[in-house]
Structures are given as structure tokens and as C-alpha cells.
């Protein structure tokens, strides 16, 4: 159906490219390009073994717009799927505009020298994409991504309005490591240690990281401590569903993770400013990333389940209702299917489905769109058949935490 160029060859990319190859009727030709070609070749080898599909590989620096444009033209791709890092989003959007193809990513732009992720930089591309007749889909992972589509589905089928929404992300997986992040360590630690904000009554309410803790009994996972965090879908959800009074994001962390992250932060290892070491300039968090396990290698070691979803309260025909909509995903089943742990899988599968929506022409409105602005039904139908089945239950009332 369509030629696709995937940029970035990490854990998320590996899961996404495997699932694209398993849907060869939609993804007729796949090229995988990244900074280091051997990483692409390793993924291509795994894809060939598991699916029999051959994918092309290439080396490219995503920050080099001319090089990306040349690669797009060479491959004839009609869609670029950005599974590199948030720092590259704007350059890759520029390359898509120049080459005249559609764009999709899983994380919003963040300047490398400032740990501040916001949508305003990418939203500023709205007119350019509209005028070019091209589509850019932002945040097609699980959170953001599926959690935003879940919210839209609830608002389309179960609720007339959403008054409050909590996104709950539990990873009950154990990888046996003293300390490891389950996606890119640099991006993960910048996110986790950022100032917390949640949306309440028309304003952002700030709080210190890792201070608001609640125990929650997650379906399939069990009781876990979850912490209030800032996450990018809060910004887009409160913008696109303007009736929302309160939007919060929660993620589970074990005590060992909190202890390590706190110590690393206290000693300056998570710093993003360059420091001099033995006459050489280094950026502490980049050095730390080099020391930590590569999340892409944790698949074989991780056991347990993840559960991610939304609890939303709102009105339906004048009556207040609360729903919990979620997916439960098993780390070992993901590994058996595509050689990835559940965090890469739960991000890579929605990236593939978002890309399929564009290639099938179902999500093709020109412009720049967050996931909650698009029709949730075909996306969620495919989520059910592509390894991430979801369920929805009515709760007795709004959350009490
Ligand atoms: P990884 O670090 O494993 O992979 C990133 C890949 O991008 C690497 O292959 C890296 O190359 C490549 N890359 C980095 N810089 C460049 C560049 N300048 N040019 C070309 N390639 C480059 O990250 P993950 O797979 O864990 O995460 C990928 C993305 O997914 C991130 O943006 C992350 O924020 C997002 N994500 C989204 C989630 C969601 O639910 N929405 C959840 C989890 C992650 P090299 O190997 O050479 O370093």
C-alpha cells in the first residue's frame, strides 16, 4: 500500500518495524535508517528471521535535513516515521515538508540544552503542513498516543464531556537489573526528574518530582505505588478538550528506581550542562546513558506485565459516569513475538498503527494533529488485532485520590 521510511533504530523502532513487516499488505516497502547503520542491520536481520520480510537499511543523521530529503527521494517513501529522539522532531518535519511526504512521531520536541518538552514548537508547523497538503501525526506511542485515543473514544461513545481524567501507567516488569530505564535513559530521566505539573481549574499546578505517591491496584499487575508526573499528553488533552477541569498523569516506580534516580540526581549525574572532566568536556546524563543498560537489550530479561490506561469522569445524558479503559501487556509475550520488552512494544505497535492510518488514507487531513483529534475507531480496532487488546469498565464513581 505504501513505502515507509523509519528513522531511529532503538528499542521502539525494532518493535515497530517488526510489526510493519507483519503487515506487509499495508507497509509495502520499509527502509530503516539511523545514525549507525549496523543497528539497522541488526533489526533487519531479526525481522528477516521472524517474518521473512526484507527491509532496506541506510545511515543518516536526522539533524541533516538535506541528507534526510535525499534519502526520502531515494526510497520514494510517502511517510516518515520518526522513532529517533525528541531532539530531531523539527528537523525531520522540515525534511518531510521539503520532500513532500507525511510525518509521524511518538514524542514531542524537546531542545537538547533545555529539559522542557512542549508542543508549541511542533504546533507552529500547522499552517506549513496544511498548505503543503501533508499530514503530521504527533505522539503515536502508548502515552502519549493510545491514552489520548482512549480519551477520544470515551468522549465519542460513552461520555458527552470529560470533567476529569487520570492517565495511569504501571510497569510491573522486573528485569533483574539494579537500575535500568525501560526506554532511552537520557529521555526517561529528563522526563522523570522534571518539575511536576498537573492541570486543574484552568491552570498548571506545580509540585516537586516524586512527592505525590498513591497506591493503586492495577488490573493484571496488582498493587503498585504510582507517582504524579508531568507528561506531554496533559498539554494537548486540556487544549483539545477544553471542558477538562483536572488532568493528571501517574507512573509507577519501585523504591530501588526512586533511590537510584535520587542519588544520581543529587551527585549531578543527570545534569544536561557540559562539565569539564580531565580536560575534556562531557555532558553527565549522556555519559550516564553510556553506562546504563540499553533498554533494547532488556527484552530477554524482563518478566511481568504492564497496564496503561485512563480513568475519566464526565457527563452522559445529564448523569455523571466514570470509566476505566486500559490495556494489559505481558513482557515475555512481547519478547516471544518481536524480541522486545513491553515498553518498546507498547510504543512500537501504536506507532505502526498510526502509520497504517496514514497509509490507508484514514488519517489524512492536512495539518499537524495530536492523537485525540483523530477518529479513534479504526485505530482502536487495529489495536485489538495487533497485540494490544483493550477493555473498558464502568466504575462506581470518580477516583478518590
Ligand atoms: P533509543 O535510544 O533506543 O533509540 C533511539 C534511536 O535514534 C537510536 O537508534 C539512535 O541512534 C537514533 N538516533 C539518535 N539521534 C539520531 C540522529 N541524529 N540521527 C539518526 N538517528 C539518531 O530510544 P527508544 O527506542 O527507547 O525511544 C525512541 C523514541 O520513542 C524516543 O523519542 C522516546 O521518547 C519515544 N518513546 C515514546 C513513548 C510513548 O509511549 N509515546 C514511550 C517510550 C519512548 P544510535 O543507536 O546511534 O544512538
Amino acid at each position: 500500500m505504501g513505502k515507509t521510511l523509519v528513522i531511529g533504530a532503538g528499542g521502539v523502532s525494532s518493535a515497530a518495524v517488526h510489526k510493519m513487516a507483519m503487515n506487509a499488505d499495508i507497509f509495502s516497502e520499509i527502509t530503516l535508517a539511523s545514525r549507525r547503520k549496523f543497528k539497522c542491520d541488526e533489526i533487519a536481520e531479526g525481522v528477516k528471521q521472524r517474518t521473512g520480510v526484507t527491509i532496506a537499511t541506510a545511515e543518516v543523521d536526522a539533524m541533516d535535513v538535506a541528507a534526510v530529503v535525499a534519502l526520502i527521494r531515494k526510497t520514494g517513501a510517502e511517510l516518515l516515521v520518526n522513532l529517533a529522539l525528541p531532539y530531531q522532531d523539527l528537523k525531520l518535519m522540515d525534511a518531510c515538508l521539503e520532500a513532500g511526504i507525511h510525518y509521524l512521531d511518538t514524542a514531542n520536541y524537546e531542545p537538547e540544552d533545555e529539559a522542557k518538552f512542549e508542543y508549541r514548537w511542533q504546533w507552529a508547523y500547522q499552517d506549513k503542513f496544511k498548505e503543503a497538503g501533508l499530514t503530521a501525526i504527533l505522539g503515536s506511542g502508548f502515552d502519549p498516543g493510545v491514552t489520548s485515543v482512549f480519551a477520544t473514544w470515551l468522549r465519542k461513545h460513552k461520555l458527552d464531556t470529560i470533567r476529569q481524567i487520570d492517565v495511569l501507567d504501571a510497569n510491573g516488569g522486573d528485569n533483574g537489573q539494579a537500575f535500568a530505564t525501560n526506554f532511552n535513559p537520557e529521555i526517561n530521566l529528563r522526563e522523570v526528574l522534571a518539575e511536576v505539573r498537573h492541570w486543574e481549574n484552568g491552570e498548571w499546578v506545580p509540585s516537586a518530582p516524586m512527592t505525590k505517591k498513591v497506591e493503586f491496584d492495577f488490573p493484571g499487575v496488582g498493587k503498585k505505588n504510582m507517582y504524579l508526573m508531568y507528561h506531554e499528553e496533559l498539554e494537548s488533552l486540556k487544549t483539545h478538550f477544553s471542558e477538562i477541569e483536572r488532568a493528571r498523569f501517574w507512573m509507577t516506580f519501585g523504591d530501588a528506581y526512586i533511590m537510584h534516580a535520587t542519588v544520581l540526581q543529587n551527585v549531578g549525574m543527570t545534569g544536561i550542562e557540559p562539565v569539564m572532566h580531565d580536560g575534556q568536556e562531557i555532558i553527565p546524563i549522556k555519559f550516564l546513558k553510556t553506562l546504563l543498560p540499553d533498554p533494547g537489550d532488556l527484552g530477554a530479561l524482563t518478566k511481568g506485565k504492564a497496564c496503561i490506561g485512563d480513568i475519566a469522569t464526565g457527563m452522559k445524558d445529564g448523569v455523571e459516569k466514570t470509566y476505566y479503559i486500559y490495556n494489559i501487556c505481558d513482557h515475555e509475550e512481547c519478547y516471544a513475538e518481536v524480541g522486545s520488552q513491553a515498553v518498546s512494544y507498547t510504543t512500537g505497535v501504536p506507532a505502526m498503527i498510526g502509520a497504517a492510518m496514514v497509509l490507508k488514507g484514514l488519517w489524512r487531513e492536512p495539518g499537524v494533529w495530536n492523537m485525540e483529534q483523530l477518529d479513534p475507531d479504526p485505530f482502536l480496532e487495529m489495536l485489538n488485532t495487533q497485540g494490544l487488546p483493550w477493555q473498558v469498565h464502568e466504575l462506581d464513581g470518580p477516583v478518590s485520590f
Side-chain angles (χ1 to χ4, degrees):
M1 192 175 280
K3 295 183 184 176
T4 309
L5 172 61
V6 178
I7 305 277
V12 173
S13 169
S14 180
V17 170
H18 273 82
K19 295 297 281 197
M20 287 177 185
M22 290 170 184
N23 287 276
D25 53 327
I26 303 169
F27 298 91
S28 55
E29 276 180 46
I30 305 161
T31 304
L32 174 60
S34 190
R35 192 160 49 183
R36 297 179 296 167
K37 185 171 175 293
F38 82 89
K39 299 277 286 181
C40 306
D41 292 334
E42 283 173 6
I43 294 174
E45 179 63 32
V47 169
K48 181 84 186 164
Q49 276 174 16
R50 289 189 186 88
T51 68
V53 172
T54 303
I55 60 167
T57 59
E59 183 172 300
V60 77
D61 177 1
M63 300 303 275
D64 182 345
V65 175
V68 177
V69 170
L71 182 61
I72 293 171
R73 294 202 169 121
K74 189 172 160 208
T75 60
E78 62 179 277
L79 169 68
L80 183 149
V81 176
N82 169 14
L83 301 177
L85 298 179
Y87 316 133
Q88 282 99 44
D89 289 3
L90 302 185
K91 295 285 187 193
L92 291 174
M93 290 174 87
D94 287 335
C96 285
L97 284 169
E98 199 174 325
I101 70 166
H102 308 293
Y103 169 89
L104 177 140
D105 67 29
T106 64
N108 73 4
Y109 175 69
E110 183 175 354
E112 202 157 359
D113 55 0
E114 198 187 345
K116 194 173 175 70
F117 42 99
E118 284 181 5
Y119 276 116
R120 68 185 159 95
W121 289 288
Q122 290 183 280
W123 285 344
Y125 280 69
Q126 176 67 271
D127 290 345
K128 288 185 192 166
F129 271 83
K130 230 175 215 164
E131 281 157 21
L134 296 171
T135 304
I137 310 282
L138 309 185
S140 189
F142 208 104
D143 43 341
V146 176
T147 51
S148 320
V149 180
F150 279 164
T152 309
W153 185 89
L154 287 176
R155 202 158 172 274
K156 183 172 175 182
H157 298 288
K158 297 282 182 189
L159 298 168
D160 300 327
T161 53
I162 294 181
R163 179 167 67 80
Q164 61 183 44
I165 183 163
D166 287 279
V167 178
L168 276 57
D169 180 331
N171 183 3
D174 181 7
N175 51 37
Q177 309 290 300
F179 182 68
T181 60
N182 42 39
F183 68 96
N184 183 288
E186 183 182 336
I187 306 297
N188 179 267
L189 287 165
R190 281 166 71 121
E191 182 176 292
V192 169
L193 299 171
E195 184 191 65
V196 175
R197 279 180 291 160
H198 74 272
W199 185 254
E200 193 157 357
N201 296 326
E203 59 181 16
W204 290 113
V205 181
S207 52
M210 304 292 177
T211 47
K212 180 143 190 193
K213 173 169 87 168
V214 169
E215 189 185 64
F216 188 81
D217 196 359
F218 288 90
V221 170
K223 285 187 180 163
K224 290 267 166 202
N225 287 329
M226 58 180 193
Y227 292 80
L228 190 67
M229 270 181 67
Y230 178 69
H231 222 239
E232 61 205 59
E233 62 263 54
L234 299 180
E235 184 188 12
S236 69
L237 284 170
K238 70 95 179 156
T239 302
H240 298 126
F241 298 155
S242 56
E243 80 269 17
I244 286 183
E245 290 171 16
R246 190 182 71 190
R248 301 182 298 184
F249 181 93
W250 305 84
M251 192 177 268
T252 62
F253 296 102
D255 293 345
Y257 181 99
I258 305 275
M259 181 189 76
H260 280 84
T262 307
V263 171
L264 291 167
Q265 187 179 34
N266 286 346
V267 299
M269 278 301 287
T270 57
I272 64 172
E273 297 294 331
V275 295
M276 291 307 289
H277 170 72
D278 272 354
Q280 210 183 335
E281 206 173 67
I282 60 162
I283 296 177
I285 197 168
K286 288 192 183 287
F287 177 58
L288 177 61
K289 174 183 185 275
T290 305
L291 299 179
L292 290 176
D294 180 345
D297 295 337
L298 296 175
L301 305 169
T302 312
K303 296 180 181 12
K305 290 184 167 59
C307 173
I308 317 175
D310 302 344
I311 299 181
T313 300
M315 299 301 278
K316 180 70 179 171
D317 301 330
V319 179
E320 189 175 89
K321 300 265 184 190
T322 298
Y323 291 95
Y324 188 13
I325 180 168
Y326 58 84
N327 158 262
I328 300 169
C329 186
D330 185 285
H331 285 281
E332 286 172 280
E333 284 172 16
C334 298
Y335 187 70
E337 187 189 343
V338 300
S340 302
Q341 35 88 345
V343 176
S344 301
Y345 189 91
T346 54
T347 311
V349 172
M352 178 279 288
I353 298 175
M357 295 295 111
V358 176
L359 291 180
K360 285 178 164 189
L362 296 169
W363 287 2
R364 264 302 172 80
E365 174 97 14
V368 174
W369 309 111
N370 291 95
M371 301 288 281
E372 66 272 14
Q373 294 178 281
L374 303 158
D375 182 5
D377 294 347
F379 182 96
L380 289 186
E381 266 167 40
M382 211 169 158
L383 199 68
N384 265 332
T385 59
Q386 293 295 323
L388 294 174
W390 51 280
Q391 22 186 322
V392 61
H393 300 284
E394 188 172 351
L395 303 185
D396 291 341
V399 296
S400 55
F401 49 82

